[in-house]
């Protein structure tokens, strides 16, 4: 049985970092990245905790162990993770170009343990996050490396729509949004 809740302990943060490490693109072969997907960013415990203290992350747990997570990143953290600074600038540009009025939160990263993939945990996490954030925010925004086909397809399957594409660090990224 999978349960969903907001992160409450440092131990859960440590489990997030371990799951992140297991699925970090730099630690996987090309074939595995293509088949299974990957995460692009390695967080420090300090930044992960500060983000959680400001807006608690959502986790999926099975038998007391974190088997999936979505990270909550408030706009105030836009300069705390250097790799994400270009994304925030592109979001600002897209919002001003389209005259959108968005009260958004950034989903800073999603990751599902290989042992529970294909069992609805990804969808469950996003449904839980959307329910938890509704009333505070009207949109969840994130970005996906276009080489991460599994992640891109999974996000589309739960309703994310393309806001804009851009290049950063020689990678093509899609900024995608989900109305909640």
């Amino acid at each position: 049985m999978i349960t969903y809740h907001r992160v409450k302990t440092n131990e859960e943060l440590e489990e997030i970092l371990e799951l992140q490490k297991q699925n970090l693109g730099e630690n996987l072969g090309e074939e595995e990245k293509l088949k299974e997907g990957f995460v692009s960013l390695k967080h420090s415990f300090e930044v992960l905790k500060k983000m959680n203290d400001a807006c608690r992350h959502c986790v999926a747990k099975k038998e007391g162990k974190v088997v999936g997570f979505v990270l909550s990143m408030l706009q105030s953290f836009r300069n705390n993770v250097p790799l994400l600074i270009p994304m925030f600038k592109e979001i600002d540009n897209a919002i001003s170009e389209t005259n959108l009025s968005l009260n958004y939160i950034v989903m800073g990263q999603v990751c599902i343990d290989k042992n529970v993939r294909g069992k609805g945990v990804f969808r469950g996490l996003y449904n839980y996050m959307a329910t938890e954030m509704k009333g505070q925010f009207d949109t969840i925004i994130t970005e996906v490396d276009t080489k991460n086909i599994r992640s891109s397809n999974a996000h589309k399957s739960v309703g994310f729509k393309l806001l804009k594409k851009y290049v950063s660090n020689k990678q093509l990224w899609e900024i995608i949004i989900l109305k909640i």
Side-chain angles (χ1 to χ4, degrees):
M1 167 132 178
I2 306 288
T3 59
Y4 301 92
H5 70 264
R6 305 289 286 274
V7 169
K8 301 172 192 155
T9 67
N10 287 345
E11 290 76 23
E12 289 172 330
L13 294 174
E14 293 288 355
E15 288 182 48
I16 286 171
L17 291 173
E18 181 56 35
L19 187 55
Q20 181 183 73
K21 180 180 172 186
Q22 292 168 13
N23 292 279
L24 197 59
E26 66 187 41
N27 296 336
L28 304 174
E30 290 304 314
E31 187 176 315
E32 186 173 12
K33 286 194 298 189
L34 185 61
K35 180 181 175 217
E36 296 291 335
F38 56 93
V39 296
S40 300
L41 188 61
K42 181 179 177 180
H43 291 82
S44 69
F45 179 83
E46 294 74 23
V47 168
L48 191 65
K49 180 159 179 22
K50 284 179 186 175
M51 288 167 46
N52 190 65
D53 289 346
C55 184
R56 293 185 299 146
H57 310 303
C58 301
V59 291
K61 293 184 86 171
K62 181 178 181 183
E63 298 172 3
K65 181 180 179 218
V66 171
V67 294
F69 63 83
V70 288
L71 302 183
S72 303
M73 180 177 270
L74 298 176
Q75 294 178 50
S76 59
F77 283 87
R78 66 189 311 127
N79 295 317
N80 291 60
V81 182
L83 192 63
L84 297 181
I85 291 171
M87 176 193 69
F88 278 103
K89 287 180 182 174
E90 293 295 333
I91 291 170
D92 291 344
N93 291 341
I95 289 172
S96 68
E97 289 167 6
T98 57
N99 292 320
L100 290 173
S101 176
L102 297 177
N103 178 22
Y104 70 89
I105 185 165
V106 168
M107 190 292 298
Q109 187 174 68
V110 59
C111 186
I112 310 299
D113 187 289
K114 290 176 189 166
N115 296 316
V116 297
R117 288 185 188 156
K119 297 184 172 140
V121 176
F122 183 91
R123 182 175 302 276
L125 272 168
Y126 268 119
N127 287 340
Y128 182 78
M129 183 182 193
T131 299
E132 287 290 301
M133 301 301 168
K134 197 169 188 95
Q136 291 176 271
F137 304 98
D138 56 31
T139 308
I140 299 170
I141 298 181
T142 193
E143 70 177 356
V144 177
D145 182 334
T146 57
K147 292 179 189 170
N148 196 341
I149 296 164
R150 182 175 183 137
S151 181
S152 182
N153 290 338
H155 281 88
K156 289 173 188 166
S157 78
V158 297
F160 275 87
K161 305 288 185 215
L162 180 67
L163 180 63
K164 128 174 249 184
K165 290 184 180 184
Y166 75 101
V167 175
S168 177
N169 294 325
K170 299 179 184 174
Q171 291 172 279
L172 180 60
W173 296 91
E174 295 178 325
I175 297 176
I176 52 180
I177 65 172
L178 178 69
K179 300 268 186 199
I180 54 175

